[in-house]
Amino acid sequence: MPDSASSQPFRSTGSDTSTSAASSGGHWPAPRAERPMRARIGLPGSKSMTNRALVLAALSQTPCRIRHSLVSRDSELMIGALRALGVRVEATDDTGTELSVTPAPLRGPAAIDVGNAGTVMRFVPPLAALASGTVDFDGDPRARERPVGELLSALRGLGADIDDGGRGGLPMTVHGTGAVRGGEVTLDASGSSQFVSALLLSGARFTEGVHVRHSGPPVPSQPHLDMTVEMLRSAGVAVSTAEDSWKVEPGPIEVSDITVEPDLSNAAPFLAAALVSGGRVTVEGWPEHTTQPGDRLRSLLTRMGGEVSWSPEGLTLRGTGRILGIDADLRDVGELTPTIAAVAALASTPSRLTGVAHLRRHETDRIAALATEINRLGGDVEELPDGLVIVPRPLHGGVFHSYDDHRMATSGAVIGLAVPGVEVENIATTRKTLPDFPGLWAEALA
């Protein structure tokens, strides 16, 4: 696509890549990059910022407008959860990206479907504890396997009444009493930084606020915690932080307008495509300063052979014709691992990716899944307890399974750029965070 081409992220090209195979969960033939990619990409809003914004707007003392929000399964699940608790959420434009949120007293009875959205299964239970009435939670089969026990124990320590049958996970029932005492609590957040964010986002509404201390291995995804703190402060909440300690003072939440940044993590496959194809991709609207983990793509893909430049119009990555392996600790940016692993499988030198043991409890065991699928195509990948060692080998075509994991699906698409005959199983799972990925991918390659 020429650089002046359209950057509308939701427009399908009508090509074969957006047909029934993509929408029905079948096998999607991953397109080859027949020439260097030249594209400008406009990405939808950040899932992480959208769902945090929705929670803060629901707890605000004033109505709030959320601009450039993400339209995806995860955001729809969050909106459904808030509506079930009595919050009014309405789209104010035809795309559904502009939202009006009108707070209301939180109440049950309610039944909440978390799907397989970590933000919903973790951010909403503290809201349910603030509600009046019983709130039931359940979700996809995989959601029942994902860690949430540390958060539930912490909520109980803060005064919430939760019945999970001793499972430490879904399904569960929160018996809301209209208030949560709050105070100080210690938990092990090494399984997910969302345990901490969940308590901080609602903490100002707890009677005593909340002081969260972490005890255990390092907390992953520090940028997501920074995002939570920054958004709380923008909503007028007093937050103080120290090493492994976060304190939110009790008080009102007042937010009237939130603009969501483009989802920088969703830029990963497109920037990787520039590197793999030896082309050039510009992601429009890339903020100069941001707390999003995806911003680390600048340094990671530069180390892997790309050249990166930034301007007020966006971030551009240019492939140089070489792809290098990398030795990287990805603890803070684990969600980028599938894309980095896909590029590493196509590199000229080995890679070692570490610090991501927590990925074994994400949408799937991403460490095992990446090793299995790259090796299925002829690769040489060794699992580590907390990561992967990837030795590049000539790859061949075959089915790349997604495990109903959006980031696995997009990593298969990246490999397919350079390897003929790759078919990604259930590319439709990308709708979790990126509407019409097949159409946008086809546009970028056109």
Side-chain angles (χ1 to χ4, degrees):
M1 164 187 312
D3 286 353
S4 61
S6 169
S7 60
Q8 292 298 319
F10 305 114
R11 178 165 54 82
S12 171
T13 63
S15 69
D16 288 344
T17 55
S18 293
T19 57
S20 58
S23 61
S24 66
H27 292 171
W28 175 72
R32 288 282 310 282
E34 302 295 344
R35 57 186 180 274
M37 180 184 286
R38 298 270 192 266
R40 294 182 70 89
I41 303 295
L43 290 174
S46 161
K47 177 203 73 174
S48 298
M49 291 189 72
T50 295
N51 279 1
R52 283 166 172 78
L54 284 164
V55 170
L56 290 175
L59 294 173
S60 175
Q61 289 192 325
T62 59
C64 178
R65 182 175 297 276
I66 303 176
R67 306 176 191 273
H68 196 53
S69 67
L70 176 66
V71 180
S72 73
R73 187 186 185 215
D74 276 21
S75 60
E76 289 167 355
L77 287 165
M78 180 64 82
I79 290 170
L82 297 180
R83 285 173 173 163
L85 293 174
V87 179
R88 185 176 177 182
V89 184
E90 296 179 308
T92 59
D93 72 335
D94 292 340
T95 68
T97 63
E98 306 293 313
L99 300 175
S100 173
V101 181
T102 305
L106 303 175
R107 47 101 180 116
I112 291 177
D113 175 15
V114 308
N116 194 15
T119 52
V120 181
M121 74 178 70
R122 292 159 184 156
F123 293 178
V124 179
L127 294 178
L130 287 166
S132 298
T134 298
V135 184
D136 297 318
F137 289 81
D138 205 354
D140 296 353
R142 175 63 180 174
R144 295 187 175 195
E145 302 172 13
R146 297 184 67 181
V148 72
E150 283 287 332
L151 172 62
L152 302 186
S153 295
L155 281 171
R156 291 187 183 102
L158 296 170
D161 182 359
I162 303 172
D163 179 12
D164 65 351
R167 289 178 294 273
L170 300 175
M172 65 182 180
T173 299
V174 177
H175 299 283
T177 60
V180 174
R181 182 187 71 251
E184 186 171 324
V185 69
T186 300
L187 79 166
D188 180 355
S190 60
S192 175
S193 65
Q194 290 176 356
F195 298 160
V196 177
S197 287
L199 297 173
L200 301 185
L201 287 168
S202 294
R205 291 285 303 274
F206 297 169
T207 305
E208 300 175 12
V210 67
H211 186 183
V212 182
R213 297 184 185 274
H214 163 70
S215 177
V219 181
S221 303
Q222 179 65 40
H224 280 133
L225 286 173
D226 296 339
M227 179 187 296
T228 298
V229 170
E230 183 175 281
M231 293 182 72
L232 279 165
R233 287 173 174 163
S234 295
V237 176
V239 187
S240 58
T241 65
E243 184 176 0
D244 291 337
S245 174
W246 304 264
K247 187 174 184 179
V248 171
E249 300 294 340
I253 296 174
E254 294 187 17
V255 59
S256 60
D257 199 296
I258 301 175
T259 298
V260 177
E261 296 174 358
D263 195 316
L264 305 188
S265 293
N266 275 338
F270 297 95
L271 295 177
L275 181 58
V276 169
S277 71
R280 183 174 69 249
V281 170
T282 297
V283 178
E284 297 174 341
W286 194 289
E288 185 175 9
H289 303 289
T290 179
T291 56
Q292 289 193 62
D295 197 46
R296 278 276 301 278
L297 288 165
R298 302 192 203 205
S299 58
L300 290 168
L301 293 180
T302 297
R303 291 170 60 192
M304 300 188 83
E307 293 181 351
V308 174
S309 60
W310 180 89
S311 74
E313 287 71 41
L315 182 108
T316 299
L317 186 136
R318 187 179 72 85
T320 60
R322 60 177 188 161
I323 307 174
L324 305 176
I326 190 172
D327 189 333
D329 183 339
L330 301 178
R331 182 185 312 278
D332 286 342
V333 291
E335 63 199 51
L336 304 181
T337 302
T339 296
I340 299 301
V343 175
L346 303 171
S348 58
T349 57
S351 295
R352 184 181 182 91
L353 311 177
T354 58
V356 289
H358 57 287
L359 294 189
R360 294 192 182 277
R361 303 288 298 275
H362 274 223
E363 282 81 347
T364 189
D365 180 341
R366 286 178 173 166
I367 293 175
L370 286 164
T372 297
E373 297 310 309
I374 296 173
N375 287 343
R376 191 193 303 277
L377 301 182
D380 183 355
V381 181
E382 174 191 353
E383 286 188 52
L384 304 174
D386 71 336
L388 299 163
V389 173
I390 302 172
V391 179
R393 302 287 187 216
L395 301 181
H396 56 73
V399 175
F400 191 96
H401 294 87
S402 71
Y403 304 81
D404 294 327
D405 184 331
H406 57 130
R407 302 209 191 277
M408 284 296 299
T410 55
S411 66
V414 170
I415 292 174
L417 291 170
V419 180
V422 173
E423 297 184 358
V424 179
E425 174 260 339
N426 192 17
I427 194 69
T429 195
T430 54
R431 191 180 178 277
K432 177 179 171 69
T433 57
L434 187 56
D436 192 23
F437 170 79
L440 186 55
W441 196 246
E443 283 193 41
L445 285 165

